[in-house]
Amino acid sequence: MNTSAARASQLPPPPEAFHLRDAAWHQASIEQTLRHWDGRSDLWVFGYGSLVWRPEFDHLEARRARIHGYHRALCLWSRINRGTPERPGLVFGLDLGGSCDGVAYRIAGSRALDILGPLWQREMPSASYVPRWLNCHTESGPVPGLVFTMDRKDAGYVTGLSIERIVSIVRQGHGRYGRCTDYVLQTADALETAGITDRRLRAIAQALRHAS
């Protein structure tokens, strides 16, 4: 990527590039994601951001887990949950490369459809993520988990931001779920409590606290 393109990729897209998905789209996406599910077995969902400290769904079990091939990053402009079209914040996505530690939640097969509907509304308001089934490696062995990975083709995808730039963006963000700063700090604190080390996120959290 040349310098001008790199700079452009670090700027939020215009508001008209942001499109909400409706209930019919969510339902079709869920059906596509579950096309190989038998309709009875329990399902696992992998949390790496706010799902670590605010899953908002009933689960039978929670395990610390690691996935490979993706890493946690503040790589998605947020115009609803943690920002507005005029002053977007940033939220976490799973970007390509490396690995990521998080929490895998087991949900009852009998409750799966009731749980996944609200989960799609929360995680996929603008279809910025790609739902995938990935191996979640836990101390009790691997489990196939539903993981929301970053769609790099999405208009809201952003990469190459310095910690200073991230802190500046996060501090300005405030959306329907509250301040972007709170979201980032709560995620950092929840990971630390779970014994999960994310050095870059720790540096961002320290800078946010210092700037407050």
Side-chain angles (χ1 to χ4, degrees):
M1 182 183 296
N2 60 39
T3 301
S4 60
R7 289 174 179 167
S9 71
Q10 296 178 12
L11 299 175
E16 57 267 23
F18 182 77
H19 302 287
L20 288 176
R21 302 295 183 171
D22 60 19
W25 186 94
H26 284 157
Q27 183 60 36
S29 177
I30 292 171
E31 291 175 359
Q32 173 66 14
T33 301
L34 297 180
R35 63 191 183 280
H36 299 306
W37 180 50
D38 61 14
R40 300 182 304 276
S41 301
D42 294 347
L43 299 175
W44 291 84
V45 176
F46 180 76
Y48 56 89
S50 63
L51 288 179
V52 175
W53 49 271
R54 188 169 59 89
E56 291 188 325
F57 54 78
D58 293 332
H59 51 277
L60 304 174
E61 184 181 357
R63 298 183 192 173
R64 178 172 164 176
R66 173 177 292 174
I67 63 168
H68 295 284
Y70 297 87
H71 66 280
R72 179 174 30 246
L74 286 162
C75 60
L76 177 62
W77 294 104
S78 177
R79 286 196 162 94
I80 297 180
N81 293 350
R82 297 292 172 173
T84 65
E86 296 75 24
R87 297 175 68 86
L90 289 169
V91 291
F92 292 104
L94 285 174
D95 207 356
L96 286 174
S99 62
C100 179
D101 289 332
V103 178
Y105 299 98
R106 180 165 65 92
I107 60 176
S110 59
R111 297 284 325 281
L113 295 180
D114 292 333
I115 288 172
L116 293 182
L119 182 62
W120 245 253
Q121 294 174 19
R122 170 178 167 173
E123 298 295 314
M124 299 279 284
S126 59
S128 298
Y129 299 132
V130 179
R132 302 181 189 277
W133 293 99
L134 301 177
N135 277 332
C136 298
H137 300 274
T138 78
E139 291 183 350
S140 301
V143 295
L146 172 61
V147 184
F148 293 97
T149 64
M150 187 66 225
D151 181 357
R152 284 188 156 198
K153 297 179 182 178
D154 187 81
Y157 172 65
V158 59
T159 187
L161 297 175
S162 67
I163 289 179
E164 292 75 15
R165 177 82 169 115
I166 288 173
V167 169
S168 175
I169 296 167
V170 168
R171 292 187 70 203
Q172 78 172 7
H174 194 292
R176 68 177 178 181
Y177 289 153
R179 297 196 313 153
C180 193
T181 294
D182 294 338
Y183 161 81
V184 174
L185 292 180
Q186 285 175 299
T187 301
D189 289 344
L191 292 174
E192 294 281 352
T193 299
I196 296 172
T197 299
D198 186 322
R199 292 182 177 85
R200 181 169 174 82
L201 178 53
R202 180 184 293 171
I204 293 169
Q206 290 175 345
L208 282 170
R209 292 189 172 99
H210 181 73
S212 299

